[in-house]
Structure formats: C-alpha cells, structure tokens
Amino acid sequence: MDNNRLPHASDYEYKKGVKQSNLRQNYSGNYNYSYNDYKQGEEPPMRSARSAKQVKKRPSQGAAQRERERRKAAERAAREKEARKEKQKRDRLLQREKERKLRIKKRKKRIRKAKRLFRAFVILLRNILIVMSILAAIAGTLYLIYDKVFTIKEIKYSGNKWVSDETMTSYIFKGQSKPNLIRFYLSDKFKDKKSIPYVETYEVHCDWPNKLVINVYEKEVIGCIRKDNLYYYIDKDGILLDVTNTKKEDVMIIQGVSVTDYEINKSMGATESILKDIFEIKKQLDKYNLSFEEVNFDYKSEYVLRKGGLYISLGKGEYLVEKLFELSQVYYELPGTGTLHLENCSGQKKNLYFTAD
C-alpha cells in the first residue's frame, strides 16, 4: 500500500476492527494504514495510485477565508457603486426638478414684472393724454389772447428825419401783416436789429399790450454826390447810404471829391480828411441854422459854399469853426450875389471882405 496516497472515503469502511492505537499519521497529516492494521485474512482494497499532477491540492483554511473576504469586498464594492449610481441619478433628477422649478419661478416673475410695467405704461399714457389735453386747452386760450390782445395797433416813431414811418415799418415788420407785440419783443431782444438805410440804430419801447414807441438814431448825412442825374448820399465816414434820382431837401451837393465805389453800405473811397472837413462844415451850419446848396472842393484844395448866386470862400480846412462863426454873424446882412472871403480868418484875425459880382 502506498503510504503517500491521499485518504479516500472507502478507507473508512475498512477501519472496522482496526485498532485506534495502530492508526498513525504521516508527515503530511493524512492517515495511512498498513497491512497490520486490518484483521487477519482481510486485505485493504487496492486502489490505483494517482500521480501528483492529477491530485488537486485543497486550499488552506486561510486562503479560503481570504477568498470569502475578497468576494464579500467585491460584492460590497458593487453594492456601493450601484448605490452611488442610484444616488447620482436621484441627484440629477432632483437638480433637474430644482432647475425646472427655478425656471418656472423666473418665468412667473417676468410675467408679473411685465404686467406691472404694462399697467404702469397704461397709467403713464393716460396721464400724458390728460396733461396734453390740459396743455392744449391752455395753449388754445393763450393763442386767443396772443392773437387778439397783443396784436400791435399803434406805432410811434421819433428821431427819423431821412426815413419815413412807412419805410421804418416795412423794414422792421417785413412780411408781417399783423405784427404781434410779444413776438416782436422777443425777436428784438434776442436777434440783431434790421439794417435800414440812413439808420444807425433804433430803440424799441413796448407800451403793453398793443403799442410800440421806436426811437430812431439816424446816420449823419453830410451831403450827396451827383453823377449821371443820380444822387449818392454819404455819411461822415464816406459810406454810401442811398441812391435817388431826386435830391432831398437840406442836403448839400458835394463837388470836386473823387470817389471809386458806388455800392450801397460800402465806402465810396473818398479822402478821409476831406470828409472830416465837410462834416465839420455841415455841423457848424446846422448849429447856426444856415443852409447852402453846394460845397465845392476846388483845384486849390479850398472849400467854397454856394447858395444861388452867393459864394462863401472858406479857404483851406483850417479854423473852420472860427470862419463859420464869422459867417453866422454877417450872413443875414449879405446880398444875394457875390463872394464873401473868409480865407484869412483865424482865431485872432477877423480879416474878411465881400466882393460883389
């Protein structure tokens, strides 16, 4: 009998009658039996010996325990993984539900806000319509007052000698059939004044509700230059003011002064010193209420006044104030024709004489 074979279940059948004391254990922990262990005349059944390769080695108790623990750990890990998946799934569902509720809440909030805005817009529109209606009523009332009460009915001018009242009105209220005092007052305050021939400026005084008083300040007309049957009126600065085909009264004709330009509201190009002397002559004549038809600047650069057949020789443009004062003293004693010589008069000398024609 092979002592190295593994025990077999059938071996226990032959243990009958075998002494327990004769049972011995080999080094591998298996129980082996010898022929002496059996009853006399009995032989153990013969079994074919198996090779070591055909024998499966049973795992030890520690390895089996570890295998069971490994399986339990694997099962536990699988359950935990499944639980995590379920938890993640529930979390996703909860998150989607939360987002859905949040979207619904925001949509409801937007709807409420839109309704509030719409109600506010309706209220605002209604208030605007009410205010516009009130303003329209007020505007209509004001227009009636503006049109009826403040329409200018009377205009008074003062200080205008060369420009007529009708001309002033046509320039100031150009294109207005019914001038209004309020509109004119505002335009006069915030706009430039109209450019009017002979007029330096004018001042407007409102006599509410429908009257105007206009003070006119005219330019100083020193005379006119005659050319081609036309009369060119100039001021003290040599600016051409107006052109007419008839001569105005009390305006001297200026002879012997050369000019270069005949455009209205521009300088005619006369010599400044000559204009200054003529202006001084005009001022002194107005001072003494004297009038002459012409002032001639002759080839000798001397000034000669003429009225009909009476000539006043003033000489150079020196001591004009003194010379014209002497003229005022003897003017009304002079005959209708002849020449009064004032060339040699000065502040100290009164050397004047008269020559008859």
Side-chain angles (χ1 to χ4, degrees), residues 142-284:
L142 291 177
Y143 178 77
L144 291 176
I145 297 174
Y146 172 85
D147 186 57
K148 299 295 183 182
V149 178
F150 294 100
T151 300
I152 298 175
K153 297 180 179 179
E154 183 180 355
I155 303 174
K156 291 183 179 180
Y157 293 97
S158 63
N160 52 321
K161 176 182 178 182
W162 305 105
V163 186
S164 64
D165 294 351
E166 292 77 12
T167 303
M168 290 291 298
T169 301
S170 64
Y171 273 96
I172 295 175
F173 302 101
K174 188 175 182 179
Q176 299 182 28
S177 58
K178 293 182 178 180
N180 186 274
L181 189 59
I182 295 177
R183 182 169 57 188
F184 175 76
Y185 176 79
L186 295 176
S187 64
D188 182 68
K189 289 292 183 183
F190 301 105
K191 292 184 179 180
D192 295 334
K193 289 183 169 57
K194 305 294 190 299
S195 177
I196 305 172
Y198 300 102
V199 177
E200 184 75 31
T201 185
Y202 58 88
E203 294 179 353
V204 179
H205 302 280
C206 298
D207 188 4
W208 300 94
N210 51 19
K211 293 182 181 180
L212 274 180
V213 177
I214 300 178
N215 297 326
V216 182
Y217 300 93
E218 293 182 330
K219 296 179 180 179
E220 192 70 34
V221 180
I222 62 173
C224 63
I225 297 174
R226 183 171 55 191
K227 181 182 179 182
D228 299 332
N229 296 324
L230 294 176
Y231 296 90
Y232 298 85
Y233 297 87
I234 62 175
D235 65 1
K236 63 180 181 179
D237 298 318
I239 304 299
L240 179 59
L241 302 177
D242 193 13
V243 180
T244 63
N245 53 10
T246 58
K247 178 180 171 297
K248 296 179 181 292
E249 295 182 0
D250 300 330
V251 178
M252 291 189 302
I253 297 175
I254 301 173
Q255 299 283 2
V257 177
S258 60
V259 295
T260 58
D261 196 354
Y262 292 89
E263 187 174 352
I264 293 179
N265 292 329
K266 288 189 176 181
S267 175
M268 297 188 71
T271 305
E272 184 178 354
S273 59
I274 298 175
L275 293 174
K276 185 178 179 180
D277 292 340
I278 294 175
F279 173 66
E280 186 64 35
I281 293 171
K282 174 71 169 52
K283 185 170 67 172
Q284 295 300 321

Side-chain angles (χ1 to χ4, degrees), residues 314-336:
L314 299 175
K316 305 289 185 181
E318 299 173 348
Y319 303 107
L320 290 176
V321 175
E322 290 80 0
K323 293 175 182 179
L324 292 170
F325 173 74
E326 296 298 333
L327 173 62
S328 67
Q329 299 299 312
V330 298
Y331 177 77
Y332 294 102
E333 299 176 1
L334 296 175

Side-chain angles (χ1 to χ4, degrees), residues 339-344 351-355:
T339 302
L340 177 64
H341 295 272
L342 299 173
E343 300 94 331
N344 298 321
N351 189 6
L352 70 160
Y353 60 94
F354 182 81
T355 58

Side-chain angles (χ1 to χ4, degrees), residues 83-98:
R84 284 196 300 271
K85 288 183 179 180
E86 290 294 330
K87 185 176 182 302
Q88 291 175 357
K89 185 177 180 180
R90 287 195 304 272
D91 291 342
R92 286 195 297 270
L93 291 175
L94 290 174
Q95 183 65 24
R96 284 197 291 269
E97 182 67 17
K98 185 178 180 180

